[in-house]
Amino acid sequence: MNDLVRQHTALSESDLEWLHLLVSEWQLLSDLSFADLVLWVPTRDGTRYVSVAQMRPNTGPTSYQDDMVGHLVPRGRRPLLDAALDEGRIVREGDPEWREEVPVRVESIPVRRDGRVLGVIARNTNLLTVRTPSRLELTYLQSASDLAQMIAAGSFPFPGQQVDMDASPRVGDGLIRLDADGVVQYASPNALSAYHRLGLASDLVGHHLGRTTDELAPARGPVDEAMVKLASGYAPRETEVEGSGGVIQLRAIPLKPKGTRIGSLVLLRDVTELRRRERELITKDATIREIHHRVKNNLQTVAALLRLQSRRMDSAQGREALDEAVRRVGSIAIVHETLSQNLDERVEFDEIADRVLAMVAEISPGKVVCRRTGKFGVLDAEVATPLSMVLTEILQNALEHAFAPGEEGRVDVSAVRSGESPGAKRREGVRSDARLMITVQDDGRGLPEGFDPQRTGNLGLQIVRTLVEGELGGGFDMVPAPVRGTRVLLDIPVEPQK
């Protein structure tokens, strides 16, 4: 719509915002009218109309099989559009049109803003299935007529009240028509069922909706007078009402076809099951975070016990082995601590990598500098946990074996993600094309003569091989650095970032 309006018309940006506000609301008019809506705007030179938006009803058959957006028609070909634009009134004259052997009633509704007519809504009703209307349909049509008059007068949509139609109640979810005093004139079967779930034992017709709602869902704490007013339809608002038996979502729309409020429409939807499932998910998320928190605490307890045991050992080799175990446990604890603060099982691994770097660097304080470049990005927990251990082992191996005691040096960790595209998803049973390439390079003494990283190495390198190739499904290699030292290469498949 933006492109069409800016290309063909002379409307200002504020006018365009008004049309966006109208289009965000007009599904309501379409459903109440059982009709298709097409928004026509005059072109810059005033000789043609361009269709900038279209809406089909959820409550009846469409009268347009084709998409009308972008069509241009010369002025004079559709007299109802001309009359509505020039006279600023709703035009209903004329016989039905026949489109592909289907009779269609056409009406034109001027779209007014600040006293100016910006365009015209063509309301097209498929008459093929017309029958004697029920009380529900008559209420729909009367409400649609009131809304159309408000659009023509410039009092609908309501400024500052843009509605998310995907989240708001729709006409078919439940509709209540109120008079000017807030008394129910009509309630659809779905609306009545929703109030019965709240605990209503009688009919709604003839009752004041605000007071009835307040009795079914009394405010906890101070009395919320705004709830009574909202349910009575005095202002365009949305809220949720929770009673002992359920939860309903309410949307009030004051009806002022001639400038004075004659009543209101209240759209409502029973969201009891939806809110119950949301609460279950919140509870589940909280439980998962609590589990991660407790696992982190338990791992820190294990690390503390290992430290105590290390201090009591006389063997230097034994103390070294226990200290390595403390760092391995600590790297896992860092992941669980991060997961305990997240809403899902995905973590920002850059923070974890930095903490692992700081933790491992403690074995060589002030001598070897560890630095990270690039971004690991967001990783699943099933990748982050083994990767934190792998990074710990590689760094620990570099600091212990690449440099002599007291020797100064440097270890660089770089991460690059590749093969990711927006919206990419991992298919079941198919390895992801997204890769995480990690390089750990030191400027130390280098690899021993004849060293084979796939066959030889200490326990730490055995752990790295097992985790990278077995659990992560990636590749691992150690090669001499171009100038001096050793370079470790990791190639790991990862879930594309969202």
Side-chain angles (χ1 to χ4, degrees), residues 1-9 19 23 26 37-43 48-55 64 66-74 78 81 118-122 124:
M1 186 168 72
N2 288 348
D3 293 340
L4 290 171
V5 168
R6 290 166 181 158
Q7 178 182 355
H8 295 285
T9 79
L19 295 184
V23 168
W26 71 344
L37 305 178
V38 180
L39 178 57
W40 297 92
V41 180
T43 57
R48 295 180 296 175
Y49 297 96
V50 57
S51 58
V52 298
Q54 179 178 359
M55 178 58 65
Y64 280 115
D66 299 326
D67 188 359
M68 295 296 296
V69 175
H71 283 215
L72 288 162
V73 297
R78 301 194 177 187
L81 294 181
L118 306 182
V120 179
I121 294 176
N124 305 271

Side-chain angles (χ1 to χ4, degrees), residues 251-271:
R251 183 189 176 198
I253 304 170
L255 297 176
K256 304 176 181 179
K258 296 181 180 179
T260 303
R261 194 173 69 86
I262 63 169
S264 305
L265 276 183
V266 176
L267 304 180
L268 59 110
R269 177 171 56 186
D270 185 348
V271 293

Side-chain angles (χ1 to χ4, degrees), residues 317-496:
Q317 186 176 3
R319 284 197 302 271
E320 183 179 343
L322 288 176
D323 290 341
E324 288 182 358
V326 167
R327 285 189 285 274
R328 288 168 184 147
V329 172
S331 66
I332 301 174
I334 291 172
V335 177
H336 283 283
E337 181 179 5
T338 305
L339 288 169
S340 70
Q341 300 168 2
N342 292 347
L343 294 177
D344 55 18
E345 291 291 288
R346 293 170 67 81
V347 296
E348 181 64 56
F349 196 80
D350 293 323
E351 177 186 351
I352 293 174
D354 290 340
R355 294 179 64 180
V356 168
L357 280 167
M359 178 182 68
V360 176
E362 291 179 359
I363 67 174
S364 180
K367 300 299 182 181
V368 179
V369 178
C370 297
R371 189 177 64 176
R372 173 181 64 85
T373 59
K375 288 185 174 295
F376 289 84
V378 178
L379 299 176
D380 290 338
E382 61 186 15
V383 173
T385 301
L387 182 57
S388 67
M389 283 197 65
V390 167
L391 193 57
T392 300
E393 296 298 334
I394 293 174
L395 290 169
Q396 187 169 293
N397 186 74
L399 293 174
E400 288 184 358
H401 300 290
F403 305 99
E407 182 182 2
E408 294 184 359
R410 179 168 155 180
V411 178
D412 291 313
V413 178
S414 67
V416 177
R417 295 182 76 134
S418 63
E420 293 184 318
S421 59
K425 294 182 179 179
R426 181 186 292 176
R427 291 175 295 165
E428 188 68 27
V430 179
R431 189 181 271 186
S432 170
D433 292 332
R435 317 290 296 185
L436 177 59
M437 314 296 293
I438 303 170
T439 302
V440 181
Q441 181 169 316
D442 64 67
D443 59 356
R445 67 186 67 175
L447 295 173
E449 187 71 25
F451 180 82
D452 183 358
Q454 303 302 326
R455 296 182 179 276
T456 60
N458 55 19
L459 175 61
L461 290 182
Q462 293 176 24
I463 292 174
V464 170
R465 284 197 298 269
T466 300
L467 292 177
V468 172
E469 297 173 357
E471 190 164 342
L472 295 175
F476 160 72
D477 198 6
M478 292 181 71
V479 297
V483 179
R484 183 172 184 266
T486 304
R487 176 180 289 177
V488 179
L489 304 173
L490 302 176
D491 177 8
I492 299 171
V494 293
E495 187 76 13

Side-chain angles (χ1 to χ4, degrees), residues 167-189:
S168 292
R170 299 199 176 198
V171 170
D173 295 328
L175 179 141
I176 297 174
R177 173 91 184 208
L178 309 178
D179 64 14
D181 296 323
V183 177
V184 178
Q185 293 180 312
Y186 175 79
S188 71

Side-chain angles (χ1 to χ4, degrees), residues 197 245-248 270-277 279:
R197 188 158 191 176
V247 184
I248 61 173
D270 185 348
V271 293
T272 304
E273 292 304 313
L274 177 62
R275 296 296 175 260
R276 182 184 63 80
R277 287 195 295 269
R279 291 189 184 108

